[in-house]
Each structure stands twice: as C-alpha cells, then as structure tokens.
C-alpha cells in the first residue's frame, strides 16, 4: 500500500466524515506539527494512469473548500511509502508550507479561458524532401523542388503571421481583463496558454467573498470577448500554491 497526499492545511483540520479518495479509500487527516495532511492509503499504482486521477484528486480539494478552508494542493500522484515518510517530508518543509498557506488563506482561484485564432494548417508547411539528380523524361529535380520550397516558405510565413496575431490578441485581451478588474482586490494573476493551441488562460487568486463581484465584472467585458470565454472556479489555488516534490 502507499500513502497518497491530497492537500495540506493549517492544523487542526480534520477531513469530513465519509470523504472518499481516488481509490474509494477514506481520506483522513494526518497530523504533522502545525500542518494537517489529508491523505489516503491506496494500492500501489492505483489511479496513476487513470484519466480520472485529476478529477478525483480535485474532489478532495473541493471538500476542503466546502469547509471554508483554502487547501494547499499536492501535485497529483505524490505518494509516500507510509505515514512516517509523509510526516518527515512535511516537517522538513513546514515553514515553506505554512508560508504558502498564509499567502492563499481565505482565497480561491478563478480561471478565464479565451479561444484564440487556431494555428494555420497548410499542406505546404512540411519541408520538401531532399533529392538530387534528374527524374527520367522529366524536368530537373531542382525545378520541381523550387515549387515545393516556395509552398513551404509560404506556409511558414502564414504560421508566423497567425502567431503574431495570436500574441497581439492575447495581450489585448489581458489588458481588457485587467481593466475591468482594476477595482477588485486580486492577490495574484497568472497568464499563459494551454498546451492545446488557440487558448489564452488567465488565472486570478481572489478573496473568497469576491467571487460574485468577480463574475459580475468579467461579465462587463465586450460581447465579442464574452462569446469566446469560459469561466472556471472557484477552485483550490493550483496555479499559485501547489506542493511539488
């Protein structure tokens, strides 16, 4: 068996009765000095290759949020051989953990995802295959390669134009978001792109009681921006304070 670490909270912080983890195990609070670790005892390898791992891991974060607490999420899949090994690691990093918990206390994460122009796809963007000599009864290969080379360069040019346009649009959207939220207490902001091309993601760490106002202010964005926007949250502060190895 292994100890799966879900999240950390300032002690004391008992887990809710009946809370189940990714393997259906009981989630329990493990005392580690001034920190409470919510953990579960799971079979080795359970959930490590499951698409449900992140969702089930996050369900424990949401249980903590429902208690009015802001957890410090552990990286999904962080495990220890036993309770003692988990306590030793947490104790070693106690000051760091408490500092992170203090920074996010009373806060939640809200995320805005905007659709951006998709990447240009063109059959001519693959480099022409290197060949030499002549094709029997045909034109020189160099002449044939010139056309494919031009298509390849044109494809590169189009992709660069799309990327420049996407970067400019991302910057413009970020400015609009910052403008509508300028009077809202935002602790921190993280801006980036998702691995899937064509999405701008802006995450904010805000006070829990500011969620309604946050949604209202975001709703004042221009209609064109709202039409391609997805709002997620409130969630645990994954973008701002996740405990890794």
């Amino acid at each position: 068996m292994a100890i799966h670490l879900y999240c950390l909270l300032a002690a004391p912080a008992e887990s809710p009765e009946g809370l189940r983890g990714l393997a259906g195990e009981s989630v329990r609070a493990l005392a580690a000095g001034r920190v409470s670790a919510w953990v579960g005892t799971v079979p080795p390898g359970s959930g490590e290759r499951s698409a449900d791992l992140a969702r089930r891991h996050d369900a424990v974060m949401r249980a903590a949020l429902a208690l009015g607490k802001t957890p410090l999420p552990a990286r999904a899949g962080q495990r220890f051989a036993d309770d003692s090994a988990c306590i030793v690691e947490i104790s070693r990093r106690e000051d760091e953990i408490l500092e992170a918990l203090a920074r996010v206390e009373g806060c939640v994460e809200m995320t805005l995802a905007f659709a951006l122009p998709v990447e240009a796809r063109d059959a001519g963007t693959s480099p022409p295959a290197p060949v030499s000599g002549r094709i029997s009864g045909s034109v020189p290969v160099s002449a044939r390669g010139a056309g494919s080379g031009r298509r390849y360069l044109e494809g590169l040019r189009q992709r660069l134009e799309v990327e420049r346009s996407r970067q400019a649009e991302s910057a413009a959207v970020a400015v609009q978001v910052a403008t509508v939220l300028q009077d809202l207490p935002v602790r921190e902001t993280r801006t980036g792109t998702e691995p899937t091309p064509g999405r701008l993601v802006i995450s904010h760490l805000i006070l829990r009681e500011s969620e309604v106002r946050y949604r209202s202010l975001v709703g004042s964005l221009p209609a064109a921006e709202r039409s391609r926007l997805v709002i997620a949250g409130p969630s645990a502060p994954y973008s701002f304070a996740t405990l890794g190895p």
Side-chain angles (χ1 to χ4, degrees), residues 98-244:
L98 290 172
E99 181 180 347
L101 283 168
R103 184 158 54 85
V104 300
E105 183 178 4
C107 294
V108 292
E109 179 172 335
M110 298 296 295
T111 300
L112 309 177
F114 294 88
L116 297 174
V118 297
E119 182 178 0
R121 286 180 171 82
D122 186 282
T125 56
S126 297
V131 291
S132 60
R134 298 175 65 94
I135 299 177
S136 178
S138 182
V139 297
V141 170
S142 58
R144 288 173 169 263
S148 60
R150 282 194 295 271
R151 288 194 300 273
Y152 172 60
L153 292 175
E154 176 62 19
L156 287 180
R157 184 187 66 78
Q158 291 176 1
R159 292 177 65 180
L160 288 173
E161 287 181 354
V162 169
E163 184 58 31
R164 282 195 292 266
S165 174
R166 182 186 299 159
Q167 291 176 357
E169 191 163 359
S170 295
V173 170
V175 168
Q176 288 181 320
V177 171
T179 299
V180 300
L181 295 178
Q182 61 184 340
D183 294 327
L184 184 78
V186 174
R187 293 281 185 89
E188 290 186 59
T189 301
R190 294 284 186 273
T191 303
T193 55
E194 288 185 343
T196 302
R199 291 184 73 82
L200 168 68
V201 179
I202 306 176
S203 295
H204 297 104
L205 185 67
I206 66 170
L207 294 173
R208 184 186 295 262
E209 60 267 24
S210 298
E211 180 193 348
V212 172
R213 188 177 176 211
Y214 177 91
R215 290 181 179 274
S216 175
L217 291 172
V218 169
S220 68
L221 285 167
E225 310 304 347
R226 297 199 311 273
S227 66
R228 56 181 178 162
L229 167 66
V230 174
I231 304 177
S235 66
Y238 289 102
S239 302
F240 304 96
T242 298
L243 180 70

Side-chain angles (χ1 to χ4, degrees), residues 80-100:
F80 299 88
D82 51 35
D83 285 0
S84 296
C86 184
I87 291 172
V88 167
E89 176 63 14
I90 292 170
S91 299
R92 182 181 71 83
R93 302 174 66 179
E94 184 178 69
D95 289 342
E96 172 193 349
I97 291 168
L98 290 172
E99 181 180 347

Side-chain angles (χ1 to χ4, degrees), residues 40-73:
T41 304
V42 300
S46 61
E48 290 182 353
R49 294 180 175 82
S50 170
D52 290 336
L53 173 59
R55 179 179 59 81
R56 295 180 182 179
H57 187 85
D58 183 63
V60 176
M61 307 304 116
R62 294 187 179 279
L65 289 172
L67 295 177
K69 301 178 182 294
T70 301
L72 178 64

